[in-house]
């Protein structure tokens, strides 16, 4: 070990205190970043979907991923594959927005696979999110401008007139 000290959380676990940008990338110490999502929050499915959609629409898919991860870890066992799939498509969008198109496409496809295997509950437009993820993953195989995460944000709930 190099002898350098590591940032620790209140429980003593190693956790970087560096500020982060809207895509979860670390910024230099002392720079103002985006507030992190608190971890371990237990929300209802409706609260999870509302908060995640707000974050996706704001171009913050990394933060939406953390909301889905909380649902994945705290929700009913029979829904874990669904929440994991949503977390993976959100982090896939994160990688695509960061310029990691190969990793983004891989995670979008993996998440779409989990979603297709999970239950269609809570009004989630599973088929629509799967189609969105597969279409974006396909586009990532082509040379293109960087992905704008807010413009590409999927619609999580089935609603008339929404993609």
């Amino acid at each position: 070990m190099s002898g350098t000290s590591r940032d620790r959380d209140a429980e003593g676990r190693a956790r970087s205190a560096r500020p982060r940008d809207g895509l979860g990338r670390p910024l230099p110490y002392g720079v103002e970043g985006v507030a992190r999502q608190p971890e371990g929050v237990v929300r209802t499915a409706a609260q999870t979907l509302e908060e995640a959609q707000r974050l996706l629409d704001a171009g913050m898919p990394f933060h939406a991923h953390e909301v889905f991860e909380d649902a994945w870890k705290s929700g009913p066992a029979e829904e874990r594959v669904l929440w994991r799939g949503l977390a993976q498509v959100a982090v896939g969008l994160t990688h695509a927005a960061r310029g990691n198109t190969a990793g983004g496409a891989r995670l979008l496809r993996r998440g779409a696979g989990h979603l297709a295997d999970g239950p269609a509950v809570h009004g989630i437009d599973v088929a629509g999110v799967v189609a969105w993820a597969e279409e974006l993953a396909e586009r990532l195989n082509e040379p293109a401008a960087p992905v704008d995460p807010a413009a590409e944000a999927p619609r999580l709930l089935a609603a008339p007139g929404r993609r």
Side-chain angles (χ1 to χ4, degrees), residues 41-53 67:
V41 176
V42 177
R43 302 172 180 87
T44 66
Q47 290 169 329
T48 295
L49 293 164
E50 181 179 342
E51 179 64 4
Q53 188 69 67
V67 170

Side-chain angles (χ1 to χ4, degrees), residues 52-78:
Q53 188 69 67
R54 182 188 71 75
L55 292 163
L56 288 166
D57 291 345
M60 297 170 56
F62 178 80
H63 295 77
H65 149 265
E66 292 180 332
V67 170
F68 289 134
E69 197 170 80
D70 284 340
W72 166 14
K73 292 177 179 178
S74 67
E78 63 273 10

